[in-house]
Amino acid sequence: MHELPVTRSILEIVLRHAAASEVERVSTIDLSIGALSDLEPEWIQSYFDHISQGTPAEGARLRVRRSPLTFRCASCSAAFDAARESLDRVACPDCGSGDASVVSGAGYTVEAMEAE
């Protein structure tokens, strides 16, 4: 159910950009959802279909891409990707340090939208 507030936020972003660009109808929205996120694309689309009724985004299709989980090593500053399943054993591939923090891959981004 946590997809609903996120979907509202996505719709607000899309409608704000559509209005600024004088777009009458949005047909497709490209989303990037981080690998660490547990947001489900099917639920987001379902909520979006419901809450976008009567707006320029009504009927828009969401295209979702999972973005990688990226870390930055505290020891050598190298950036590297890791799988969600290996979070308990993350180590920098350059220096071997396990002291790293998440840089990206936990949130979501509206990357683009197509309009008619």
Side-chain angles (χ1 to χ4, degrees), residues 35-96:
L36 194 57
S37 172
D38 60 354
L39 295 171
E40 294 293 333
E42 299 82 18
W43 282 102
I44 295 172
Q45 182 70 65
S46 179
Y47 285 132
F48 193 87
D49 291 345
H50 179 72
I51 66 173
S52 66
Q53 291 179 6
T55 74
E58 181 176 359
R61 183 172 65 97
L62 304 177
R63 290 188 297 213
V64 177
R65 175 185 71 82
R66 287 283 178 182
S67 59
L69 181 55
T70 303
F71 290 84
R72 175 142 340 261
C73 178
S75 297
C76 72
S77 299
F80 60 95
D81 293 345
R84 180 179 183 158
E85 299 77 29
S86 65
L87 288 178
D88 59 338
R89 56 187 182 280
V90 170
C92 176
D94 289 354
C95 73

